[in-house]
Amino acid sequence: MKMKVLAIVVVYNPAIETLLSNIQTYYEDVEHVLILDNSTKPDIKKELKERSDMNNILYKDMNGNHGVAIALNYGFQYALSLGCNWVLTMDQDSCFISRLTGFYQYLDSVSVEKLIFLAPVYSVYDKSISNRTIRNRFIWQSGNLVQVANYYKLGPYLEKLFIGYVDYEYCLRAHRFGYDYLQIPSVVLKHNPGILRVGHFLGIKYRYSDSS
């Protein structure tokens, strides 16, 4: 299938040089990059807009911190306006150790009718498992390549959750409605998951990361 990918990165008062460096790890593998700015500091917002324009990166001021779910949902609407059929969802502190080639190679070889997203792994690339896929019940949102058509069929990210549990709820809902999601070991993300905590959601006990 012909792919056109928009990378959306949700930011909140980021270290701008680090953010731009992270974006460079996937900039060449997508058609467009869109920064969704939840920042609250005017000087950061101003500089981020200027630096985005200089680096051919799209920029949207979300006018305050409304949470990751609202920003992500806006990004999918923007993807439609650009004619993109896949969205790469990124956090400001995430960067790829590998290229995104593994995603695209996998999609060339399978049916995507019930595929909602592909995800990276979060450790060093292991050649011994490079041709396998991994299925976990819960997968973090950062680094996911989401199919736009199935995103609209499943419905948007749950905005009332703001930040915490957004990705966990999305995985549960996808599983409930029969959508597939899996990790591709040849695509490796360096990701700061935050502080590891234990939580309960719909009667399920699990570990999760508490981000700032």
Side-chain angles (χ1 to χ4, degrees):
M1 65 180 299
K2 183 175 177 58
M3 297 184 62
K4 188 175 182 182
V5 182
L6 169 68
I8 57 178
V9 50
V10 182
V11 308
Y12 176 75
N13 297 332
I16 293 177
E17 292 298 335
T18 300
L19 169 65
L20 294 176
S21 177
N22 289 341
I23 288 174
Q24 288 303 313
T25 66
Y26 50 90
Y27 183 87
E28 296 295 331
D29 290 335
V30 300
E31 277 69 29
H32 306 281
V33 176
L34 170 65
I35 290 176
L36 299 169
D37 191 5
N38 275 338
S39 299
T40 55
K41 297 180 179 179
D43 55 335
I44 289 181
K45 294 162 75 76
K46 181 176 182 295
E47 182 181 355
L48 188 52
K49 174 64 168 65
E50 293 172 351
R51 297 291 298 277
S52 297
D53 291 343
M54 290 170 55
N55 288 278
N56 198 30
I57 296 171
L58 303 169
Y59 174 89
K60 168 64 178 177
D61 183 358
M62 299 301 293
N63 296 310
N65 184 15
H66 302 289
V68 67
I70 286 179
L72 289 172
N73 290 332
Y74 177 90
F76 277 85
Q77 295 174 21
Y78 203 97
L80 278 184
S81 72
L82 294 175
C84 293
N85 53 357
W86 293 84
V87 166
L88 180 70
T89 60
M90 298 298 299
D91 289 348
Q92 67 188 41
D93 55 358
S94 297
C95 65
F96 284 96
I97 299 172
S98 69
R99 299 291 297 270
L100 302 186
T101 310
F103 281 160
Y104 303 145
Q105 289 176 341
Y106 180 82
L107 292 173
D108 281 340
S109 65
V110 299
S111 169
V112 299
E113 181 181 359
K114 296 299 290 184
L115 180 68
I116 188 72
F117 68 82
L118 296 179
V121 294
Y122 311 102
S123 59
V124 176
Y125 174 39
D126 182 351
K127 291 184 179 180
S128 67
I129 60 172
S130 62
N131 293 322
R132 306 177 192 174
T133 57
I134 302 170
R135 281 180 168 81
N136 283 311
R137 189 165 196 174
F138 298 114
I139 298 176
W140 291 320
Q141 161 266 312
S142 188
N144 291 352
L145 185 66
V146 186
Q147 185 170 193
V148 172
N150 284 345
Y151 159 88
Y152 276 100
K153 292 176 184 176
L154 183 62
Y157 295 92
L158 195 57
E159 295 180 353
K160 68 180 181 180
L161 296 179
F162 194 75
I163 296 176
Y165 301 103
V166 170
D167 39 14
Y168 291 90
E169 186 279 332
Y170 200 70
C171 289
L172 284 173
R173 184 160 27 117
H175 180 74
R176 176 186 176 191
F177 287 97
Y179 287 98
D180 198 17
Y181 52 92
L182 60 155
Q183 292 173 280
I184 305 298
S186 60
V187 182
V188 186
L189 188 78
K190 183 178 179 182
H191 176 60
N192 180 15
I195 301 171
L196 189 64
R197 303 188 188 279
V198 175
H200 295 80
F201 190 73
L202 300 181
I204 299 170
K205 181 179 179 181
Y206 64 93
R207 294 180 178 181
Y208 72 100
S209 58
D210 184 10
S211 301
S212 60

